[in-house]
Amino acid sequence: MATITSITLHSSTSSLHPNFHSLLPTFSPKHTHDHSSFWVAVRSVSSTRQRMLSHTVPRGLSIRSAATKPAKSPAEEDWKIKREYLLQKKVRSVDVKEALRLQKENNFVILDVRPEAEFKEAHPPGAINVQIYRLIKEWTAWDIARRAAFAFFGIFSGTEENPEFIQSVGSKIDKNAKIIVACSAGGTMKPTQNLPEGQQSRSLIAAYLLVLNGYTNVFHLEGGLYEWSRKELPITSEE
């Protein structure tokens, strides 16, 4: 369980550590889809602040617990563990042209796990949308803390795991269906020199959740819908 603290100042911040901001890690909004990395950075911010304040707590500064993070969900599991499980269950990646052929000739279902707005802008014909992440909806203490944490990094449309993802997939797709999971970039399970464990993505996280919940015919779209568009394969929209 990780805790984010709120800090109330009763006097000037000038008595804080002179390098307060330099002690905080930097985080780029382009990594927002890697939610596990984001929360590692948030926890790093929390730990850094706590270490700093334990050495220099100005008079009049009070610290109290604001919220406690719920237990880690399967989607937040380390990528190494997810990758090993996907390989163990023989989840295979297919390129975009093969995916189109499988959809047309073998009744494969393309499951687009991007946000609904992105899906409506453009998607493969016949694809089904169930977003794996959604905008933060609730206003519990933890949700408020998460909004603040996203805002700290300049991200004002923070997202959270969709707790209804598996239920929604089950209402739209039969459990015995052959499913190709797709997102924007796709990610990969293939090792490279720079990425020996491949690269995590929303579609690979979704594939992991599906396999965990008993889906046995799960495939992954290599290159994602960016590659689908780049190859000028069929696209439709709902706008």
Side-chain angles (χ1 to χ4, degrees):
M1 303 285 276
T3 300
I4 292 180
T5 57
S6 65
I7 301 174
T8 306
L9 285 173
H10 302 294
S11 61
S12 170
T13 58
S14 60
S15 56
L16 285 173
H17 193 288
N19 296 319
F20 179 82
H21 294 289
S22 67
L23 291 171
L24 302 179
T26 58
F27 186 81
S28 169
K30 70 181 179 180
H31 298 304
T32 54
H33 295 317
D34 187 350
H35 288 66
S36 59
S37 297
F38 175 81
W39 286 111
V40 167
V42 172
R43 288 193 290 270
S44 177
V45 169
S46 177
S47 299
T48 300
R49 285 177 170 170
Q50 289 173 4
R51 287 197 303 271
M52 181 187 68
L53 291 171
S54 67
H55 293 293
T56 170
V57 180
R59 182 177 300 174
L61 180 68
S62 62
I63 305 173
R64 63 184 178 82
S65 175
T68 300
K69 183 185 177 184
K72 185 165 68 173
S73 71
E76 296 173 306
E77 189 57 82
D78 292 340
W79 164 235
K80 182 178 180 179
I81 293 174
K82 289 200 283 277
R83 177 177 178 270
E84 288 176 354
Y85 191 75
L86 289 168
L87 293 173
Q88 176 189 333
K89 292 297 182 179
K90 303 187 185 309
V91 172
R92 184 167 69 89
S93 296
V94 296
D95 65 36
V96 292
K97 289 186 176 180
E98 184 182 4
L100 178 60
R101 181 187 66 78
L102 291 171
Q103 183 195 33
K104 286 183 173 181
E105 299 177 7
N106 298 86
N107 296 318
F108 276 56
V109 177
I110 296 177
L111 174 62
D112 187 335
V113 298
R114 296 176 301 158
E116 184 179 0
E118 292 181 31
F119 176 81
K120 287 183 176 180
E121 284 180 7
H123 58 267
I128 293 174
N129 178 231
V130 180
Q131 57 188 6
I132 188 171
Y133 291 102
R134 67 180 188 186
L135 292 176
I136 297 173
K137 288 187 175 183
E138 305 299 329
W139 288 93
T140 65
W142 171 242
D143 293 314
I144 292 169
R146 286 193 298 169
R147 283 183 170 88
F150 274 109
F152 182 90
F153 292 108
I155 304 164
F156 297 99
S157 297
T159 57
E160 64 183 356
E161 182 184 345
N162 177 8
E164 299 170 357
F165 174 71
I166 290 297
Q167 180 182 348
S168 297
V169 172
S171 68
K172 297 180 179 183
I173 304 175
D174 186 83
K175 210 157 193 174
N176 295 317
K178 299 179 179 68
I179 304 171
I180 301 173
V181 191
C183 66
S184 297
T188 182
M189 292 183 285
K190 296 177 182 177
T192 65
Q193 184 174 357
N194 295 329
L195 298 167
E197 294 178 354
Q199 178 65 56
Q200 181 171 232
S201 68
R202 289 176 292 181
S203 54
L204 284 168
I205 295 172
Y208 174 73
L209 295 178
L210 290 172
V211 172
L212 273 183
N213 284 274
Y215 289 81
T216 56
N217 297 302
V218 178
F219 297 76
H220 160 252
L221 186 65
E222 189 84 29
L225 294 170
Y226 168 80
E227 184 68 11
W228 184 285
S229 177
R230 197 177 74 82
K231 295 288 188 183
E232 299 183 347
L233 298 183
I235 288 288
T236 188
S237 69
E238 297 182 9
E239 295 183 341

